[in-house]
Amino acid sequence: MQAKPLPDDLLRGFRSLCVLAPHPDDEILGCFGLIRCAQRLGLRIEVHVVTDGERCFGSLPASEEQALRAARQQESCAAAALLGYPPPTFWGLGDSQLLEQAALVERGLQNHCRADALCVAPWCDDGHPDHEVVARALRQVAAPGQCLHYPVWGLVDKARREQFFALDAVHGMALAPPERALKQQAAALFATQFSRHEAADAIVRAEFLAAFTTEHEYYLHAH
């Protein structure tokens, strides 16, 4: 897919990268390359995981839901350790409930989206309500030129993919083979998403994982 490269000076002038992940794993599937670029430039990395993704398999008994919360948080922490940035901050808002908690999302962003941070959130038409709430909240809070948006589910839905790549402000970032291999290694840490009782229950099916870990990442550069 052809897209303009991200500007070389995109991160210049910022002291930190603030990554907003609606669920554990979004920070790696959608934003790995930008995190690595910020690390090379010496920026502070802050990953904020808005929900624990506890309803990815629907409503579960309370004990199972709590165990899934803990497992998903642990997966995000393991990915952070692998890449060498601090453990994420977990907001603990309700998975698949952010439409009702949009004011809390916006308040959280006001606390963390500082003027010296480049803030990154999912694309506003990514196909998951939680992703879209976080995207809209960032647009309300961030200054012009302070935010980027990344697709996740928009990469694996044909209509949304076409919609995303039709946007003029889409930019691409190439991942060198060692970096792509590291992204694949990090993505593999999110084992809860690959199966529950059998492969048919996977949230991130094999073909989705392949789409999320190609040699390119894409970002919408909001001005």
Side-chain angles (χ1 to χ4, degrees):
M1 184 65 63
Q2 292 295 317
K4 300 182 290 290
L6 275 174
D8 291 337
D9 61 351
L10 176 69
L11 290 165
R12 203 164 293 159
F14 294 107
R15 299 181 64 184
S16 63
L17 179 69
C18 179
V19 178
L20 304 167
H23 313 99
D25 75 4
D26 289 321
E27 70 272 25
I28 296 298
L29 300 181
C31 206
F32 168 92
L34 198 63
I35 290 172
R36 296 293 287 165
C37 183
Q39 287 180 307
R40 288 191 291 272
L41 293 173
L43 273 66
R44 183 174 64 250
I45 308 298
E46 298 180 6
V47 173
H48 296 273
V49 182
V50 180
T51 84
D52 294 327
E54 71 278 3
R55 293 199 173 180
C56 58
F57 297 109
S59 182
L60 297 173
S63 60
E64 291 187 40
E65 183 176 291
Q66 187 57 39
L68 184 57
R69 278 181 180 272
R72 297 205 66 183
Q73 287 191 7
Q74 186 175 20
E75 290 167 351
S76 268
C77 289
L82 176 66
L83 270 62
Y85 60 82
T89 299
F90 297 98
W91 293 11
L93 299 186
D95 184 18
S96 300
Q97 300 174 66
L98 293 188
L99 283 170
E100 294 79 22
Q101 298 178 326
L104 293 176
V105 176
E106 190 167 325
R107 193 176 310 150
L109 290 182
Q110 289 169 344
N111 291 333
H112 296 291
C113 190
R114 298 182 300 275
D116 65 353
L118 178 64
C119 300
V120 197
W123 175 43
C124 65
D125 290 308
D126 201 41
H128 190 300
D130 287 349
H131 288 214
E132 296 173 8
V133 169
V134 174
R136 289 195 295 269
L138 180 60
R139 288 175 131 181
Q140 290 295 317
V141 170
Q146 193 188 0
C147 60
L148 292 178
H149 296 275
Y150 59 87
V152 177
W153 297 111
L155 293 175
V156 296
D157 178 281
K158 184 175 184 294
R160 291 184 187 277
R161 182 180 174 88
E162 291 176 353
Q163 178 187 354
F164 179 78
F165 284 107
L167 298 170
D168 183 61
V170 170
H171 293 72
M173 173 183 288
L175 300 181
E179 289 293 291
R180 183 187 180 195
L182 183 60
K183 180 175 183 177
Q184 291 169 328
Q185 184 181 355
L189 294 171
F190 294 90
T192 58
Q193 301 306 284
F194 303 136
S195 66
R196 180 160 169 76
H197 300 301
E198 53 187 67
D201 296 325
I203 302 298
V204 179
R205 303 200 302 262
E207 64 270 27
F208 292 171
L209 184 61
F212 298 149
T213 56
T214 69
E215 63 273 15
H216 288 89
E217 288 182 350
Y218 298 97
Y219 300 89
L220 181 65
H221 190 192
H223 295 281

